[in-house]
Amino acid sequence: SEQPRMCQRRGFDPAQVAAGEALFNSPALLGGQAAKAGLSCAACHRNGRDNPHFQMPHLSGAPGTADVTNSFFGPARANAAFDPVVIPDLALPGKVSRAPNDPALGLFIRTLVVDEFSGAEPSAVMLDALTSYVRSIGPCPADDRTVEARRLAGQLRLIELAVTAAAASDDAAMQRQLIGAARHQLGLIDERYAWPRDAAFRRELLAASRDLATISEGMRVVPDRRLRLQKWQARFNIRLVPLLQQH
């Protein structure tokens, strides 16, 4: 329900950072058991930072730790030992270089997705977006300990980031992943509220998600998908966003 503030470094392409943030918050990127469990990169790294409250049975020791060599998510890095490590704050320097011209970060992220989580091979465009986002995560001033509430506005923002980035992308794999990211946020919105007296509105929210699925799987030509996504976002902003903001 809360997350630390992220102080963003300047000098990065805003569109790439936005696409990377949307992917970072999507379980579809990791696939496999992580996707089934609803875990995204942001589950361990709230707002790109850390998560001292993260705890999963058999995968965590103390809160804020995770065994990254457990076979539950994928066999490639399994070592048959229980060795949870503290989840790092991505705003702080780590073991992998984040220098702009160093490919190490992109290779590391690719290894996490494919080996640790058994996810699908990310496209080069997706890796560029993810590395841009991670590189943009900066430390806040020492006296800034702001904690933000995770509210509906943040989920609506992530939907818009994902759909806008998908519409702007020429990469089909990137488009599909970003559409999956938007659908995940719609699912979280559905979970956020109790709907006993608003079944019609819930059906409309579900229809919006299914429309995105149709756009993702039914349209094989990127330009056609782009136009459909733009129309979807406009309709969502007009019909659903005002209703959501009333709840």
Side-chain angles (χ1 to χ4, degrees):
S1 62
E2 295 180 337
Q3 62 188 10
R5 191 163 80 91
M6 194 266 272
C7 297
Q8 209 157 44
R9 291 187 173 100
R10 298 181 180 181
F12 296 93
D13 182 341
Q16 274 203 328
V17 170
E21 183 177 356
L23 292 171
F24 194 87
N25 282 272
S26 173
L29 172 70
L30 303 179
Q33 295 290 355
K36 291 178 182 178
L39 292 179
S40 65
C41 300
C44 287
H45 303 283
R46 302 169 305 158
N47 213 17
R49 303 292 301 278
D50 59 1
N51 188 352
H53 308 293
F54 181 89
Q55 193 164 33
M56 288 189 69
H58 310 296
L59 291 171
S60 299
T65 66
D67 181 1
V68 298
T69 57
N70 189 289
S71 62
F72 177 75
F73 293 118
R77 297 179 64 179
N79 65 357
F82 183 59
D83 47 7
V85 296
V86 175
I87 295 169
D89 184 341
L90 299 186
L92 305 178
K95 60 183 179 180
V96 180
S97 169
R98 297 182 205 171
N101 297 321
D102 192 331
L105 181 59
L107 293 173
F108 179 71
I109 292 174
R110 182 261 170 202
T111 299
L112 290 179
V113 173
V114 176
D115 292 344
E116 183 175 337
F117 291 97
S118 297
E121 187 76 43
S123 68
V125 177
M126 290 164 58
L127 283 177
D128 285 346
L130 285 162
T131 54
S132 291
Y133 173 64
V134 173
R135 285 185 175 122
S136 76
I137 300 168
C140 294
D143 59 347
D144 185 345
R145 302 184 184 277
T146 303
V147 175
E148 303 172 343
R150 303 183 73 171
R151 300 188 184 280
L152 171 65
Q155 291 167 323
L156 293 176
R157 173 179 170 273
L158 286 171
I159 290 171
E160 185 169 9
L161 287 183
V163 174
T164 300
S169 178
D170 292 322
D171 184 77
M174 173 90 141
Q175 281 190 333
R176 285 192 293 271
Q177 281 285 351
L178 287 167
I179 290 172
R183 294 190 70 207
H184 174 63
Q185 295 302 322
L186 288 170
L188 293 180
I189 290 172
D190 184 68
E191 291 176 2
R192 178 179 281 270
Y193 301 102
W195 302 90
R197 293 179 297 175
D198 215 345
F201 180 42
R202 187 176 188 183
R203 285 196 297 271
E204 191 162 352
L205 191 66
L206 178 61
S209 180
R210 287 176 172 167
D211 287 345
L212 282 178
T214 300
I215 294 170
S216 178
E217 300 303 328
M219 306 295 291
R220 302 301 178 188
V221 182
V222 168
D224 291 346
R225 196 180 290 129
R226 179 180 299 123
L227 181 60
R228 291 281 298 276
L229 285 168
Q230 291 169 342
K231 290 181 178 179
W232 183 94
Q233 184 67 61
R235 185 169 64 251
F236 183 76
N237 287 345
I238 293 171
R239 294 179 60 180
L240 273 170
V241 170
L243 292 174
L244 283 166
Q245 290 171 339
Q246 293 173 16
H247 281 71

